[in-house]
Amino acid sequence: MAAIAMIFPGQGAQYIGMGKDFYENCPDSAAVFDLAQHVTGIPVKEMCFEENDKLGITEYTQICLLTTELAMLKAVEAAGFKPQVTAGLSLGEYAALVAAGRLDMDCAMSLVRKRGLYMQEAVPEGGAMSAVLGLDTAVVEKICEETPGLVELANYNCPGQIVISGEAAAVEAAGAALKEAGARKVAPLKVSGPFHSSMLSGAGERLAAALEEVDFKDSDIPYVCNTQARYVTDSREIKDLLIRQVSSSVRWEQSIREMIARGIDVFVEIGPGKTLCGFLKRIDRSVKAINIDKYEDLKKLEDIVC
């Protein structure tokens, strides 16, 4: 059987209607949406399934996206699939922890509800993010280091795609320098804050208090953490990693390369869209990538055992 990694997307992948067909076709998935509403007191189903203006607001986006990913996960698990390792981009790391058996579903929902709220409330004025396309990572790092003010690398997504984050003026200045250095494009992102930069450290500090009440479980399934792009087997490390993750770089490309180096040859993206599958094509085309976004996509899993 193939060596499988389950991977989960982060904020930005959401869309109206996500997960609705899973809710309608899989009782296990429907139970996840019902649980999320019970745990958080938020009308998660309404926000995910019906037109509204709240799904794009961080404090709601995060719990809605996590719920959808966990609902899809339950359907994948019901089909009999178990991963050798899990990973998730930013918010997706919480779904990865559930998939690895290290965090209870209801606890993940409670934590993510608080995480989204803390990140929304911690957003300082004057923050910004931009995607940098078509430039070597080392060049982006150097220019950000040389730019006055605070601008940091937020996401190492894949070769030729880096996201920078920080003070708006510094992000703009770095963007201009990056264009001069040969970047194909520097695109400002429509986000509510400078995520994964040190400007969000306050949200991490608030999250730390919530994490003190959580007991992470031991499991035979490791997960790959965002901040260090390495396999985590000791659950005692998880709290600190999640605190740091809020204001640290997401090393996604490095995480994927680590899993490939350890023998993973099939990546199953579980969640809205297929952003992570797109990154995989840029990182290493020799591995197989499958996205589970619609209920009918479960049929793709049959090919894994062949």
Side-chain angles (χ1 to χ4, degrees):
M1 189 172 178
I4 302 169
M6 288 183 180
I7 55 177
F8 301 85
Q11 195 168 336
Q14 71 276 358
Y15 62 83
I16 298 294
M18 61 181 185
K20 187 175 182 180
D21 53 343
F22 283 85
Y23 182 84
E24 295 173 340
N25 291 284
C26 178
D28 288 342
S29 298
V32 174
F33 281 97
D34 294 337
L35 177 63
Q37 298 205 161
H38 174 73
V39 169
T40 66
I42 294 173
V44 174
K45 287 182 284 187
E46 180 181 321
M47 290 184 187
C48 289
F49 303 159
E50 302 174 13
E51 287 291 340
N52 66 90
D53 58 1
K54 291 185 176 180
L55 187 60
I57 301 173
T58 295
E59 67 167 291
Y60 300 118
T61 305
Q62 295 195 10
I63 183 57
C64 288
L65 187 55
L66 175 75
T67 301
T68 300
E69 293 178 0
L70 295 181
M72 294 176 179
L73 170 65
K74 292 300 290 186
V76 171
E77 290 177 339
F81 291 89
K82 182 179 179 180
Q84 276 67 55
V85 64
T86 69
L89 193 154
S90 190
L91 168 70
E93 190 162 334
Y94 288 80
L97 286 165
V98 174
R102 294 178 180 273
L103 182 60
D104 289 334
M105 192 175 292
D106 57 348
C107 189
M109 292 170 176
S110 179
L111 276 173
V112 164
R113 169 58 180 147
K114 293 173 183 175
R115 180 182 187 267
L117 185 62
Y118 297 163
M119 290 178 69
Q120 184 72 40
E121 293 178 344
V123 170
E125 293 185 9
M129 300 180 76
S130 289
V132 182
L133 307 180
L135 203 59
D136 184 77
T137 299
V139 175
V140 180
E141 290 175 333
K142 184 173 186 295
I143 288 176
C144 286
E145 289 173 0
E146 296 174 347
T147 301
L150 193 152
V151 55
E152 301 165 344
L153 274 71
N155 293 69
Y156 296 78
N157 287 334
C158 62
Q161 186 177 134
I162 301 291
V163 176
I164 60 175
S165 180
E167 297 170 346
V171 170
E172 184 178 357
L178 290 163
K179 287 180 182 177
E180 290 183 6
R184 187 172 76 252
K185 186 177 183 180
V186 177
L189 301 181
K190 294 181 180 180
V191 294
S192 58
F195 300 132
H196 295 292
S197 79
S198 54
M199 294 177 75
L200 265 290
S201 58
E205 292 170 1
R206 292 182 69 187
L207 186 63
L211 284 164
E212 283 302 315
E213 303 174 6
V214 179
D215 290 321
F216 291 94
K217 299 179 178 180
D218 292 328
S219 171
D220 60 351
I221 301 174
Y223 88 101
V224 180
C225 62
N226 284 184
T227 59
Q228 298 176 359
R230 64 176 174 83
Y231 276 50
V232 177
T233 57
D234 187 347
S235 289
R236 292 174 295 182
E237 297 185 73
I238 297 174
K239 291 180 184 180
D240 182 58
L241 291 168
L242 292 180
I243 294 167
R244 295 168 57 188
Q245 187 229 51
V246 174
S247 57
S248 299
S249 302
V250 174
R251 299 181 178 276
W252 188 251
E253 178 184 345
Q254 298 91 325
S255 296
I256 293 296
R257 293 194 185 282
E258 175 67 12
M259 287 183 275
I260 293 172
R262 287 176 175 255
I264 297 299
D265 52 16
V266 176
F267 289 84
V268 180
E269 178 179 3
I270 301 173
K274 47 186 176 182
T275 300
L276 302 184
C277 285
F279 292 164
L280 272 161
K281 290 180 181 178
R282 299 289 301 274
I283 296 169
D284 191 332
R285 287 184 172 272
S286 70
V287 296
K288 189 172 185 178
I290 299 169
N291 71 298
I292 305 298
D293 174 29
K294 302 295 184 184
Y295 188 73
E296 62 184 19
D297 290 335
L298 293 172
K299 298 175 183 177
K300 299 176 184 177
L301 295 172
E302 297 174 1
D303 297 333
I304 292 178
V305 296
C306 298

